[in-house]
Amino acid sequence: MDPADFDTALLDPTRLSIVSLLVSVEWAEFGWVRETVGMSPSALSKQAGTLEARGYVEVKKGYVGKRPRTWLALTPTGRAALERHVAALHRVVEESRRAAAERPDA
């Protein structure tokens, strides 16, 4: 397994949780993501900024009535990165299973 197969940004469990959550929705309200992932607003903001800088997440700000709101969406780049990262994880599992099955019993 080549370590280059893994996405370094997605090795962090919180960022992996965020993109995994966003893969199933078009846009998600910041508060819902925060509650679902179990993060503080500042921690989610920091992680969303990191993902946005890599082009994995789009952040949109607006209003609902007079209340400010922030929404997050997974970009096509982010979706592709998640798919590659998950495929690399599956390969690790399969290689481990294969190695265990081929192990000579002592």
Side-chain angles (χ1 to χ4, degrees):
M1 173 58 51
D2 185 354
D5 291 341
F6 293 100
D7 188 304
T8 56
L10 300 181
L11 288 173
D12 179 281
T14 56
R15 289 191 290 266
L16 180 59
S17 295
I18 294 164
V19 296
S20 296
L21 181 64
L22 294 177
V23 78
S24 63
V25 297
E26 188 172 338
W27 286 94
E29 201 273 322
F30 184 92
W32 177 76
V33 175
R34 180 186 50 76
E35 289 175 15
T36 304
V37 177
M39 300 178 75
S40 69
S42 61
L44 176 56
S45 182
K46 180 180 178 183
Q47 297 301 339
T50 298
L51 291 166
E52 183 180 32
R54 290 188 70 113
Y56 292 1
V57 169
E58 183 178 349
V59 178
K60 178 172 71 172
K61 296 185 179 277
Y63 289 87
V64 174
K66 293 183 179 185
R67 294 183 175 198
R69 291 284 185 258
T70 301
W71 294 272
L72 305 173
L74 190 63
T75 65
T77 300
R79 183 177 301 274
L82 178 61
E83 289 172 1
R84 285 189 308 273
H85 189 74
V86 169
L89 291 170
H90 281 290
R91 283 192 301 277
V92 167
V93 171
E94 288 306 313
E95 288 176 11
S96 297
R97 286 182 180 157
R98 190 171 25 259
E102 294 171 358
R103 184 180 137 229
D105 291 318

